[in-house]
Amino acid sequence: MESKYYHTKTQQEWDWLFKHFNLVNENPEEYKWSINGMNTLVETPSYGTNNWAYYSVHLGITDFIEVSDLMKEEKQDKIIFTKEEKKEFDELKKDWATISGALGDIYHGHDFYNLHHSIYSKQNTTKSINLKELEFARAWAHPDLIEVKEARFAYKLKPEFIKMFNVTRSYLGINGNCQTNPQYYTAKEWKKVNDDLKVIFDRVEKRMTIYIVMAQKNSQEKYFGLRAFKSKKTAQIYLQFNQDIKGRIIKTNVVDYEEVK
C-alpha cells in the first residue's frame, strides 16, 4: 500500500489522525506533535515503528494531505434515504449524467414516486422544496454521504382485543406494554417481539389512494408511469392539458409509513 503524508497543523489534528487510522504511539513523550509544531507531517503506512513516522515540511515534501480537510469531510451530515428512495436514486444515476435531468424525471413522476413524494409533495412549502432539492444535489455530488434507514411501523391492538381488555392505550410499547402514542419498530426489531404479542397486534398502515398517469412513447411500447396525483380529477386535467401524451389513468394504493429521518 502506497505511503501518504498528512499535514497536522495543530495538536488536535495530530490526535484526530492517530485515532482515525488507529495509529499507536508507544512513546508519546518523545514522539510528539510539538517537536515540529504546525510543520508536522505524518507518514502512514510507513516502515517506522507501528506503521507510521513523522517529519517536518521543511524536508521538502510537498505532496501531502491537509488533515483539516479530512476532518471537515467527516463532519458532513449524512443524507438519510429510505431503501426505496436509494433504489430510485441509483436508477437515476444510471440514466442521467446531470442533476437537472434527474430532478426533472423526479418532478414529472417517471417511476420515481418515493423521491417525488419526498421532494415535491404538495404538503411541502416552496422553501421546503428548495431545501430538499439542495439536499438531493448534495447526495448527487457525494453519494458516499447517503445513509439508508429502514421504514418503521407502529403496531396497535386488534379491535377485538381492545374491547376484550377494555383499554384506551392500544399501541404496542417498547417493553411489550400498551401505550397511548405509537412506538415505531423496524422489521428487525419487530422480529424480536414476543410471538404471543404478535398475535394480538396489527401493523398500522395509512393507505393512500393515488392516480397514476400511464403513458407510452408509441403504440408498440409498454406503458410506463408518468406522473402520480392524489385525485383522479387532477390526473384527468393533466391529460387534457397534455393532449400529445398517449395516456391512461390507473388507481392504486400505497402505504404511508413513519420514516427514520
Side-chain angles (χ1 to χ4, degrees):
M1 187 176 179
E2 182 184 359
S3 292
K4 293 182 179 179
Y5 296 92
Y6 299 87
H7 186 199
T8 59
K9 292 181 288 188
T10 67
Q11 179 69 55
Q12 182 186 14
E13 291 177 7
W14 167 278
D15 295 338
W16 181 91
L17 186 70
F18 274 74
K19 183 178 180 180
H20 185 71
F21 287 112
N22 294 316
L23 302 177
V24 177
N25 186 354
E26 293 181 348
N27 195 348
E29 293 301 319
E30 183 176 352
Y31 306 125
K32 51 189 176 182
W33 174 82
S34 59
I35 291 178
N36 292 313
M38 64 182 300
N39 298 313
T40 303
L41 288 179
V42 175
E43 179 192 16
T44 188
S46 167
Y47 290 110
T49 305
N50 294 318
N51 204 33
W52 68 276
Y54 74 116
Y55 316 94
S56 169
V57 292
H58 296 309
L59 290 177
I61 301 170
T62 57
D63 186 15
F64 52 77
I65 298 167
E66 292 289 352
V67 172
S68 57
D69 291 338
L70 295 179
M71 293 172 70
K72 288 177 184 176
E73 289 177 9
E74 186 182 71
K75 288 181 180 179
Q76 289 193 67
D77 293 332
K78 286 290 183 178
I79 303 162
I80 305 301
F81 275 14
T82 65
K83 183 171 63 175
E84 293 77 14
E85 289 170 350
K86 180 60 166 61
K87 183 179 179 181
E88 293 178 356
F89 178 88
D90 291 341
E91 290 177 10
L92 287 163
K93 270 290 188 180
K94 293 177 184 176
D95 294 341
W96 291 99
T98 63
I99 188 173
S100 58
L103 284 172
D105 249 8
I106 294 170
Y107 179 78
H108 292 296
H110 291 288
D111 296 326
F112 304 106
Y113 171 78
N114 294 284
L115 286 172
H116 177 88
H117 182 69
S118 173
I119 300 173
Y120 298 112
S121 169
K122 289 183 178 179
Q123 296 176 356
N124 294 341
T125 63
T126 301
K127 181 179 179 180
S128 176
I129 289 174
N130 289 337
L131 290 174
K132 285 178 177 292
E133 285 183 336
L134 287 172
E135 185 78 341
F136 183 85
R138 199 160 68 93
W140 191 264
H142 303 283
D144 55 304
L145 292 178
I146 295 174
E147 183 177 350
V148 178
K149 292 287 189 181
E150 285 188 75
R152 302 187 303 168
F153 292 92
Y155 293 84
K156 192 174 184 179
L157 272 174
K158 295 178 180 179
E160 60 267 32
F161 292 104
I162 293 178
K163 186 177 180 179
M164 180 188 298
F165 301 145
N166 191 26
V167 294
T168 54
R169 299 179 180 181
S170 55
Y171 288 102
L172 178 62
I174 196 71
N175 296 315
N177 58 329
C178 287
Q179 61 182 41
T180 304
N181 298 316
Q183 168 71 41
Y184 292 93
Y185 292 80
T186 63
K188 187 176 180 180
E189 290 167 340
W190 173 247
K191 285 182 179 180
K192 296 179 181 179
V193 172
N194 187 290
D195 288 339
D196 292 335
L197 291 174
K198 290 178 181 177
V199 175
I200 63 175
F201 282 89
D202 271 339
R203 189 169 79 179
V204 178
E205 295 182 356
K206 287 166 51 184
R207 291 195 170 271
M208 296 169 51
T209 299
I210 61 171
Y211 297 85
I212 301 176
V213 173
M214 304 293 292
Q216 57 182 171
K217 294 179 181 178
N218 57 62
S219 59
Q220 305 300 318
E221 294 193 6
K222 292 182 178 180
Y223 280 90
F224 63 92
L226 182 60
R227 284 201 65 175
F229 298 91
K230 289 185 178 180
S231 74
K232 185 176 181 180
K233 184 177 181 181
T234 309
Q236 291 171 333
I237 292 172
Y238 176 80
L239 281 178
Q240 289 173 7
F241 281 90
N242 294 274
Q243 295 185 2
D244 56 319
I245 297 175
K246 297 177 180 179
R248 57 190 175 89
I249 299 169
I250 65 167
K251 177 181 176 181
T252 187
N253 290 323
V254 294
V255 176
D256 189 18
Y257 47 79
E258 175 78 4
E259 297 290 353
V260 182
K261 289 290 187 184

